[in-house]
Amino acid sequence: MHILEEAFRARGKLMEFFIAQVLNGLSLGSIYVLLVTGFNLMLLVAKIIQFAYPQFVVISMYATWAVLRATNNVILAILVTIVVSIFLNLLSEPIFRRITSIKGTDINATFVASIGLSMVLVEIMSHSLNQGFPISFSDNWVGGSVFRYGIINISRSSIFAWVGGIIVVVAFFYLLYRTMVGRLFRAIAENRHVAKLFGIPIFKTSMMSYLIAGLLGGFIALLLSMLIGTASPWLGESVALKVLAVSIVAGLGNLKGGLFVGLALGVVESVAIGYVAGSWSNVIAFVIMLIVILAKPKGLFGAAVE
Amino acid sequence: MNNNGTTFLKMNNVNVFYDSIQALKNISLEVAKSEFVVLIGANGAGKSTLLKSILNIQAPKGSIKFKGKELTKLHTDKIVANGISIIPEGHLIFNSMSVLENLQLGTYHGKKKEQSIENIFGYFPILRERKEQTAGTLSGGEQQMLSIGRGLLSDPELILVDEPSLGLAPKIVNDIFDILVKLNNVGYTILLSEQNAKKSLEIADRAYVLETGNIVMEGQADDLLNDEEIKDAYLGGSI
């Protein structure tokens, strides 16, 4: 039995402990939801598998940290983070466009390229940023506890992750279903050929998807830096694997499915951390996802792309 | 042929290749403003390819000018913005989106968006009734109406219509042809590709006959209707 579980069982606080883990999981899940949403958007519209997307989020976290350290100006840090994230995503567009324009390549080529890009970014970060040491954010940025009931402790950053997650998701789906840009996104996602026949500008719309994913990435960087209070050059890759897994388990490119599976992964991971040794939580999460994929190869909610 | 000194649509020596196969061979063709021109020919003669080459969906070699402007180097969306729209074969629409959303997408290059959609509902009242319905659940005829309606919303001057009768019941085909005539009467220029030679020659001003990627004959639609060769090759079976 896990030592924490044992301790709380002894004090009759098992339920409280479980609730605490679920709440933590929901904050982490919000982050996964936002990540998989940006990832799926580029998959659907730009037709790329952007494995390096979480790396851009991590670099943006470094930007947040650098601005806070240099100026201690929160507004400036938020703005710079978002701008850096958008900039990185837009900057990657010509690379992917070049790869997809080569005759005979398909979406898998973008996957391989983005894995390569991800490795390069890890190397650059581990050599050039903070001499490769992990960074940690100030207590002011992370914030303290705002609510405590027994062992249930709700931090400011958790509330930011929940509320921020909900606001961003609602805004994103509003954009997707109620605006012309959203219709263009869905049109290209459904059928690129028909979109072309309609006279829809494929390139411009694709660029818009990078921009929106970049904007999302900026929010993610801010929320994640508050939630975990730290970042390292290796954070992005473990996150990227999970984002990819969430997208596949939900059904590749299935935006609504991603919401559910993203949240579920956060909760499963967090609860697993509570009951077994931390390093096993990844294994448990991935084994569950493996079982789901074996049972439903097109994902729980059906793949939106082939 | 002339409109303010420049030809409306002029294709000059256009060639199109699918990899190593040549689908269009030295096509030269003209369409005047407000004209109704039909391309007839057997399946695989290159009619669809010709229409797609105008929109640069199939990359053309040679020259295609619209109101004096060279189109061959423009992307499809820019060509649509210049006033050409295509109503593709198989009434291609976005099946998972609503009728209204399909029409809204059609207005992307159009100007008076709301008003234009109202106009389309005027042409096709059934689309108003079904505007919240998912487009994929419409009947074939309704999908074709949606496809035509959508094609009008980018404010085109020239409409390319690709095999509108394909897969539709004869009654619906008549309705669709009536609509094309009406659109031509209100000023839209139409270039129609159609296997049903008799029906299309009856409503068109002029026609081109395509065979294996070549234009083998052209002339006034009435003359072609009475041409012995055309009768034998294209009208015999369909009368």
Side-chain angles (χ1 to χ4, degrees), chain A residues 180 183 186-187 190 197 199, chain B residues 57 77 95-96 101 104 109:
Chain A
M180 185 53 111
R183 280 192 282 273
R186 284 187 294 136
E190 178 175 331
L197 292 170
Chain B
I57 291 163
D77 60 299
N95 289 320
S96 75
E101 283 182 314
Q104 286 167 330
H109 293 288

Side-chain angles (χ1 to χ4, degrees), chain B residues 17-199:
Chain B
F17 297 84
Y18 289 99
D19 292 324
S20 59
I21 300 156
Q22 188 164 8
L24 287 184
K25 296 161 191 163
N26 293 319
I27 297 291
S28 294
L29 164 157
E30 288 186 22
V31 179
K33 188 161 173 59
S34 303
E35 224 184 354
F36 193 135
V37 176
V38 62
L39 305 169
I40 58 177
N43 196 7
K47 306 188 298 296
S48 283
T49 305
L50 195 157
L51 297 187
K52 284 177 186 158
S53 73
I54 296 171
L55 277 180
N56 201 2
I57 291 163
Q58 279 304 322
K61 291 195 169 71
S63 163
I64 302 175
K65 283 190 172 162
F66 180 61
K67 297 194 290 183
K69 188 169 191 172
E70 183 61 49
L71 300 182
T72 45
K73 294 288 176 282
L74 294 180
H75 284 294
T76 303
D77 60 299
K78 292 280 182 287
I79 297 172
V80 174
N82 269 291
I84 304 180
S85 80
I86 188 166
I87 294 159
E89 185 182 328
H91 37 78
L92 295 174
I93 46 172
F94 294 108
N95 289 320
S96 75
M97 297 170 84
S98 73
V99 168
L100 183 61
E101 283 182 314
N102 270 278
L103 294 174
Q104 286 167 330
L105 279 167
T107 64
Y108 181 80
H109 293 288
K111 281 165 202 81
K112 298 172 185 162
K113 299 178 196 292
E114 297 298 321
Q115 189 192 330
S116 312
I117 291 179
E118 276 306 308
N119 286 343
I120 298 304
F121 288 153
Y123 278 117
F124 308 108
I126 188 79
L127 295 181
R128 188 202 304 274
E129 280 172 43
R130 312 242 146 136
K131 67 178 180 181
E132 300 300 336
Q133 199 170 317
T134 309
T137 63
L138 298 178
S139 72
E142 288 162 359
Q143 290 190 4
Q144 187 61 276
M145 289 176 198
L146 176 56
S147 183
I148 294 172
R150 184 281 300 167
L152 296 175
L153 285 168
S154 56
D155 297 345
E157 293 176 69
L158 169 64
I159 308 175
L160 313 175
V161 189
D162 198 2
E163 304 278 0
S165 69
L166 214 69
L168 297 180
K171 158 84 178 71
I172 312 277
V173 172
N174 285 336
D175 290 348
I176 299 290
F177 276 64
D178 285 347
I179 289 161
L180 295 181
V181 171
K182 268 188 205 155
L183 292 176
N184 183 234
N185 288 341
V186 297
Y188 290 106
T189 308
I190 293 181
L191 179 57
L192 167 72
S193 135
E194 182 55 59
Q195 276 194 62
N196 189 331
K198 182 171 186 291
K199 219 175 208 32

Side-chain angles (χ1 to χ4, degrees), chain A residues 26-60:
Chain A
L26 288 175
S27 347
L28 190 60
S30 298
I31 304 288
Y32 291 147
V33 163
L34 299 182
L35 278 163
V36 79
T37 301
F39 174 85
N40 277 339
L41 179 67
M42 286 186 284
L43 177 64
L44 290 166
V45 181
K47 305 286 182 222
I48 62 164
I49 298 181
Q50 211 331 10
F51 190 76
Y53 179 54
Q55 299 292 1
F56 292 163
V57 170
V58 175
I59 299 176
S60 308

